[in-house]
Amino acid sequence: MQNSQLREADRQKTEFLAVLAHELRGPLAPIRNAVQLLQLRGDDAEAVETASRILDRQVSQMVRLVEDLLAVSRMGRNQVDLRLVHVELAPMIHQAVETVRPLAEVMDQDLTVTLPAEPIYLRADPARVTQIVSNLLANACKFSDKGSPIVLVLERVGEEAIVRVRDHGIGIAKDRLARIFDVFFQVDTSLERSTGGLGIGLTLVRGLVEMHGGMVEAHSEGIGHGSEFVVRLPILGQRPKLPRQRSGGRMRPRRVLIVDDNRDSASSLAKLLRITGHETHTAFDGLEALEVAANVQPDAVLLDIGLPRLNGYEVCRRMRAEPWGETLLIVALSGLGQDEDPERTTHAGFSGHLVKPVHYDALIALLATSHVRRGATTAKR
Ligand code: ADP
């Protein structure tokens, strides 16, 4: 690389950090307000409802931001693992629309979705496809005026699924079109611009689309003429065999040990599990985890990786060596941005792996696979 290119890259990185700090600070004020509201009016149902809606929205936005950031950095190191499954495309589109709806509502924009009559099946990573579409939709909202309509059309052409996201917003100058997929590239980089964003969304979109064997293009007739993004993904010809649904009904209570040095994280997860009828124990470092596990003999352990005194890999390895640990369900919980290593988790003997903040449904689904050691557990608090 030439000196001037290095300087440009360095400038972009510095600017990126400023934008990142700005974006991360955004949700903090409403979160603090919501907490204050709960402290002052925690006994008022309406205040609790308002606060929880704010917290939900702001935390989701922050999670999306961090997930994008993480995915882009992993992509730069070729470390994105796709979890490919045979799935229908439409539900992923709906999921993306729901993610972006709060933004469209604030902007008073109508979001119209047109789907084909016949379902389209792909071999894809549902979370990633949702991320692709929600990024395009969020951009369409951000770079359009209030009240401007956004249209998404899904169609099948030959062996391809085509997703078009069209807006009537600020458009993109012809000479910029080629660069907008570059990392950190933003047409307007002033911090005061109201749109928000890190300049990584489209880089991520292109990377994820290509990993799915597809391609993405941007079209615009120029400034003021709106934009259209077109994603093409290869499809599967026929309907895949669906896995048999697990029979419904309530899950039997499990005895769960939660290990996390962030006490708030451990105790809030414990509370959530207790509300749904499970018995919980907590430990805050690696050695304590081994002690508590030997005492209570849990059905499942939710184990943070970065722990004081003994890290999660080692805790897992030692638990597996115990007679009570052989068939134990041990789930690794790693933080976003933590450099977790899937190979190392498997090698240490983990049964599964979840990234924090954990989706409650995913956790319950994993817990349901654990063996219950005894009859009904007694609910110890
Ligand atoms: P971000 O949205 O965080 O700025 P992206 O990588 O998603 O970053 O987009 C890069 C740039 O491409 C944006 O900053 C914007 O200048 C331009 N862009 C993306 N989508 C649109 C759109 N729908 N209309 C106009 N410009 C867009």
Side-chain angles (χ1 to χ4, degrees), residues 70-279:
L70 191 67
V72 131
S73 88
R74 305 191 119 227
M75 206 141 61
R77 289 176 283 150
N78 283 327
Q79 282 183 344
V80 178
D81 291 321
L82 290 188
R83 300 191 180 168
L84 295 176
V85 284
H86 291 195
V87 273
E88 196 192 333
L89 183 48
M92 297 180 247
I93 304 237
H94 284 305
Q95 174 80 40
V97 170
E98 285 320 306
T99 312
V100 178
R101 197 171 298 284
L103 179 61
E105 273 169 9
V106 170
M107 299 286 284
D108 214 7
Q109 293 158 337
D110 258 344
L111 231 161
T112 319
V113 178
T114 308
L115 301 175
E118 289 288 307
I120 297 179
Y121 293 94
L122 305 176
R123 189 166 151 73
D125 182 329
R128 300 307 188 183
V129 172
T130 302
Q131 209 172 7
I132 292 168
V133 180
S134 63
N135 262 299
L136 294 179
L137 285 173
N139 278 350
C141 295
K142 282 178 356 188
F143 298 107
S144 298
D145 286 335
K146 274 201 155 180
S148 178
I150 316 285
V151 177
L152 184 151
V153 178
L154 169 64
E155 58 185 347
R156 176 180 174 168
V157 177
E159 294 308 296
E160 278 181 338
I162 303 190
V163 185
R164 295 173 197 279
V165 177
R166 165 113 193 106
D167 64 60
H168 296 81
I170 64 170
I172 304 164
K174 283 257 179 291
D175 60 331
R176 302 295 171 100
L177 268 179
R179 292 196 57 201
I180 55 166
F181 291 98
D182 293 353
V183 71
F184 302 153
F185 184 82
Q186 297 183 305
V187 174
D188 176 5
T189 50
S190 55
L191 278 184
E192 294 72 31
R193 83 213 146 84
S194 56
T195 53
L198 295 173
I200 56 177
L202 288 181
T203 311
L204 194 63
V205 165
R206 186 177 56 188
L208 293 175
V209 168
E210 286 175 357
M211 286 173 75
H212 280 89
M215 55 188 278
V216 56
E217 294 159 3
H219 304 282
S220 175
E221 291 302 312
I223 302 286
H225 290 93
S227 316
E228 185 181 50
F229 285 80
V230 183
V231 174
R232 293 162 200 280
L233 295 167
I235 65 172
L236 288 174
Q238 65 216 14
R239 194 172 200 280
K241 272 211 187 80
L242 294 175
R244 270 204 310 145
Q245 293 285 327
R246 223 190 273 278
S247 60
R250 256 177 75 87
M251 171 181 162
R252 280 169 68 188
R254 300 297 201 278
R255 180 176 293 172
V256 186
L257 168 61
I258 301 160
V259 190
D260 196 329
D261 59 331
N262 182 330
R263 287 169 188 248
D264 282 343
S265 195
S267 62
S268 54
L269 190 54
K271 185 148 208 157
L272 213 54
L273 287 172
R274 280 204 305 275
I275 287 172
T276 41
H278 301 285
E279 175 187 333

Side-chain angles (χ1 to χ4, degrees), residues 285-287 290 304-315 318:
D285 68 54
L287 290 181
L290 289 174
D304 192 21
I305 298 287
L307 285 172
R309 301 221 282 170
L310 202 62
N311 71 41
Y313 296 119
E314 188 56 27
V315 173
R318 292 200 198 174

